[in-house]
């Protein structure tokens, strides 16, 4: 695959109501979430399509997994998860477990998609490992579900963790990331920027008591932060404060969707 090792190559929304999620994110982000593409596998899985006129690369921003009663009974909750590209899923699972991480879904191969496993870092942050299977006619296919500047893609990956030093050490060791630069936040400590192959992909910070969620949060690019935030509220979501300006002039805000999945938005003020 054309993406560097350590890249985020897919994002997945787990939700208790895929139809409601399609309506909500369609309004907020502009995505189109289609029909179930895996009925023969006994699951409800839908693709998140970008409809911004781009369509470069895969033309998707991720997928939606409808949680079954059995999954919910086993502890699954609505939320967003990222997939990190690794050359050998099984070897990486073993290395993570050896360091105190956990396995939520054992390594599994899905024909035409690749091999994957859901794990947690030693501090509890959940994510997927994936060795993708590129199309036969395009062995160098590149995922573009993450960009640094485009709407309707994930633009920032943020880890809130009980121990930022340990988290930085873990992820830089396992995925080849670097940690260069930080933004001081007073009593909250430093907001520490992380890079993959020289590209800024996100940040790591220590969790404060008032923060509602620990683990990975993903910021979705929007065309207008005020329009998107109004759509969150109109659609039954819950905004976590007002948009805050970030270096470069754009704005971010956190929110919960109506089913309880936590996410961020990033974009300009169009007005």
């Amino acid at each position: 695959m054309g993406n560097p090792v350590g890249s985020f190559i897919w994002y997945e929304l787990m939700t208790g109501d895929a139809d409601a999620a399609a309506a909500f994110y369609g309004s907020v982000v502009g995505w189109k979430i289609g029909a179930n593409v895996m009925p023969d596998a006994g699951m409800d899985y839908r693709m998140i399509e970008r409809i911004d006129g781009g369509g470069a690369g895969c033309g998707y921003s991720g997928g939606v997994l409808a949680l079954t009663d059995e999954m919910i009974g086993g502890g699954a909750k609505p939320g967003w998860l990222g997939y990190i590209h690794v050359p050998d899923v099984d070897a990486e699972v073993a290395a993570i477990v050896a360091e105190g991480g956990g396995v939520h879904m054992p390594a599994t191969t899905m024909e035409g998609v690749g091999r994957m496993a859901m794990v947690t870092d030693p501090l509890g942050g959940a994510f997927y490992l994936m060795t993708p299977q590129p199309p036969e006619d395009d062995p160098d296919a590149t995922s573009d579900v993450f960009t640094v500047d485009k709407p309707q893609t994930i633009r920032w990956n943020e880890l809130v963790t009980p121990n930022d030093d340990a988290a930085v050490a873990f992820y830089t060791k396992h995925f080849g990331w670097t940690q260069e630069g930080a933004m001081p936040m007073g009593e909250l400590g430093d907001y520490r920027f992380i890079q993959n192959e020289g590209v800024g992909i996100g940040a790591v910070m220590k969790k404060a008591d008032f923060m509602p969620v620990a683990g990975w949060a993903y910021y979705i690019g929007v065309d207008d932060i005020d329009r998107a935030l109004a759509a969150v509220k109109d659609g039954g979501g819950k905004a976590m404060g007002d948009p805050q300006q970030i270096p470069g002039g754009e704005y971010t805000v956190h929110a919960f969707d109506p089913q309880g999945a936590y996410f961020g938005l990033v974009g300009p003020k169009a007005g």
Side-chain angles (χ1 to χ4, degrees), residues 195-219:
Q195 304 83 27
N196 187 40
E197 297 286 319
V199 176
I201 61 171
V204 176
M205 68 178 296
K206 187 174 181 179
K207 184 182 182 301
D209 291 340
F210 68 84
M211 294 178 179
V213 175
W216 284 100
Y218 306 101
Y219 288 70

Side-chain angles (χ1 to χ4, degrees), residues 25-27 29-33 48-55 59-61 151-153:
Y25 288 98
S27 175
V29 185
W31 286 332
K32 177 183 177 182
I33 298 176
I48 301 173
E49 301 178 33
R50 297 200 298 269
I51 54 173
D52 57 359
Y60 298 110
S61 286
Q152 299 193 8
T153 66

